[in-house]
Amino acid sequence: MAKVTVLLCFCVLAVVVSVNAHTEKGKVGIYELKRGDMSLKFTNWGATLVSFVLPDKNGKLIDIVLGYDTIKQYKNDTTYFGATVGRVANRIKGAQFKLHGNTYKLVPNEGKNMLHGGPKGYADVVWEVTKHLNEGDEPHIVFSYHSFDGEEGFPGEIVVTVRYTLLADNRLTVVMKARNIGKKATPVNIANHAYWNLGGHNNGDILSEKIQIFASKYTPVDSELIPTGKIEAVKGTPFDFLKPNAIGSRIKQLPKGYDINYALDGVRGRKIWKAAVVQDKNSGIQMELSTNAPGLQFYTGNMIKDVKGKAGFVYKAHAGLCLETQWYPDYVNQPNFPQSVVEPGKKYKHVMMYKFSTH
């Protein structure tokens, strides 16, 4: 899902090599995590994943996320490449909702609706790096952001953290937390907006990659991609990926491509459950995603149009795919959807586990 606002600023990427340091307030930089053959880079602009390098089945190192070469490009970005999005990810109908008897009017940024937290959501702010350890068995980085009461119209004051950790067996965990330190309840739904291409960011489109989504139901949408409120079976529709299938196998049955929320099946009694598996035949790379969230937005980069990315490579439609684990779009206006409202003094936690292998 692409955003429609543009911010102008300039800054050149420079890798920060300090082991365990706090950022100077307002300073934007690039930070690295490395474990074995896996190497990740981030920027604290939007707590964004900039690159993800690992070996393919032949041992060749490739970067499997779309992105840019400079921070100026990230600040002018219209696609949310690699960003952390919130306070409430995805769409909110009419840019408003009611909570505890109060109506809150938000800042629209996609027609009359709100997308990914508004024109200045979490993807477009400077986060503080509170921890950065690029050594040992669990290299990790923690980004923190103080979200004020009334930001983009949302009630409640919260402190948000995003922690990326590299683990053994080619695993990456992303843990997003929020703590309500204010006096008002607030919806919270923070998501990761990385665009994956397991053949390499400069490999062309992802239509030949196979995907399996562990969801027997999805939430249909209207012409503005707002859920209708129904939860329907995927069987007999182009949205059925209960068995592995090529992403492009039925994409022409849709107007532009996939941009839909799945109601994950989950497993009772488990803290996290499998959401999706993606595999690229040429690179042999497989990515398995698990989460504790009830939903998964599957987006095939339909709105990417001639975007100049890393090393000058031009990204086109379907150059990458997003797997955004989340609470359902517009849940703030859909009481029958799973709810994520954080009361004063309470906390929010969203977990993603990525496991990579070659076949």
Side-chain angles (χ1 to χ4, degrees):
M1 293 174 292
K3 60 184 174 184
V4 296
T5 55
V6 175
L7 300 177
L8 297 177
C9 191
F10 177 77
C11 194
V12 179
L13 298 186
V15 178
V16 176
V17 296
S18 56
V19 172
N20 200 354
H22 290 247
T23 50
E24 295 178 19
K25 191 172 183 180
K27 184 179 180 181
V28 179
I30 293 292
Y31 303 82
E32 183 175 35
L33 293 182
K34 185 175 176 61
R35 193 182 197 282
D37 291 327
M38 292 177 63
S39 175
L40 284 68
K41 290 181 181 177
F42 307 86
T43 176
N44 57 318
W45 178 264
T48 296
L49 175 62
V50 171
S51 66
F52 194 128
V53 176
L54 77 171
D56 67 8
K57 65 182 180 182
N58 297 315
K60 179 185 177 182
L61 294 175
I62 60 173
D63 184 354
I64 60 171
V65 295
L66 276 57
Y68 300 111
D69 288 326
T70 69
I71 288 175
K72 177 185 177 181
Q73 289 173 291
Y74 280 101
K75 290 186 175 184
N76 292 338
D77 174 51
T78 60
T79 61
Y80 299 95
F81 279 163
T84 296
V85 295
R87 178 178 305 193
V88 174
N90 220 302
R91 294 175 173 87
I92 296 178
K93 184 177 182 178
Q96 64 178 7
F97 65 94
K98 291 182 179 180
L99 181 62
H100 297 343
N102 296 310
T103 298
Y104 294 98
K105 295 186 180 296
L106 310 172
V107 184
N109 63 325
E110 189 183 60
K112 63 183 179 181
N113 305 315
M114 173 180 270
L115 174 65
H116 291 328
K120 194 172 176 62
Y122 293 173
D124 289 309
V125 297
V126 179
W127 293 61
E128 182 183 2
V129 177
T130 54
K131 292 182 181 179
H132 180 212
L133 182 65
N134 191 20
E135 60 183 21
D137 293 334
E138 295 187 3
H140 61 271
I141 189 167
V142 179
F143 298 98
S144 179
Y145 179 66
H146 187 159
S147 186
F148 59 87
D149 181 14
E151 187 171 15
E152 299 298 276
F154 288 104
E157 181 182 6
I158 63 174
V159 175
V160 183
T161 61
V162 178
R163 178 185 175 115
Y164 294 87
T165 306
L166 282 177
L167 300 172
D169 301 323
N170 295 320
R171 291 176 296 155
L172 167 69
T173 61
V174 184
V175 180
M176 299 175 169
K177 295 181 179 180
R179 180 167 51 94
N180 190 335
I181 61 173
K183 298 180 179 180
K184 302 173 186 175
T186 182
V188 179
N189 179 28
I190 309 165
N192 176 271
H193 211 289
Y195 285 74
W196 305 93
N197 186 323
L198 301 187
H201 80 96
N202 56 354
N203 187 51
D205 65 55
I206 43 78
L207 299 181
S208 64
E209 293 187 355
K210 286 190 174 182
I211 190 168
Q212 182 176 16
I213 298 176
F214 297 87
S216 54
K217 295 180 179 179
Y218 75 108
T219 54
V221 295
D222 63 18
S223 60
E224 296 181 327
L225 299 177
I226 302 290
T228 63
K230 296 180 180 179
I231 301 175
E232 298 183 351
V234 300
K235 187 176 181 180
T237 75
F239 304 109
D240 185 355
F241 287 99
L242 284 167
K243 294 182 179 180
N245 208 341
I247 292 170
S249 60
R250 289 163 292 176
I251 199 169
K252 290 184 178 179
Q253 297 179 35
L254 303 171
K256 294 182 179 180
Y258 292 95
D259 193 358
I260 197 73
N261 172 69
Y262 285 83
L264 295 173
D265 292 336
V267 179
R268 283 188 178 182
R270 297 196 63 176
K271 292 183 178 180
I272 64 171
W273 41 84
K274 197 178 292 187
V277 176
V278 184
Q279 186 173 19
D280 185 276
K281 182 179 179 180
N282 292 327
S283 70
I285 295 175
Q286 177 176 291
M287 179 177 75
E288 179 182 304
L289 170 61
S290 299
T291 185
N292 69 335
L296 172 74
Q297 190 81 14
F298 175 41
Y299 175 54
T300 49
N302 315 323
M303 298 174 71
I304 300 174
K305 184 179 180 181
D306 298 329
V307 176
K308 188 176 180 179
K310 300 174 192 175
F313 188 81
V314 178
Y315 302 130
K316 298 181 180 294
H318 315 310
L321 64 93
C322 298
L323 296 172
E324 306 157 60
T325 57
Q326 61 181 2
W327 275 253
Y328 301 175
D330 198 38
Y331 75 85
V332 294
N333 293 308
Q334 305 280 359
N336 60 313
F337 286 176
Q339 298 294 300
S340 177
V341 174
V342 183
E343 301 289 341
K346 299 299 182 180
K347 298 177 181 180
Y348 161 95
K349 186 177 182 180
H350 177 193
V351 178
M352 289 147 277
M353 169 74 80
Y354 300 87
K355 186 174 182 180
F356 297 88
S357 56
T358 52
H359 299 269

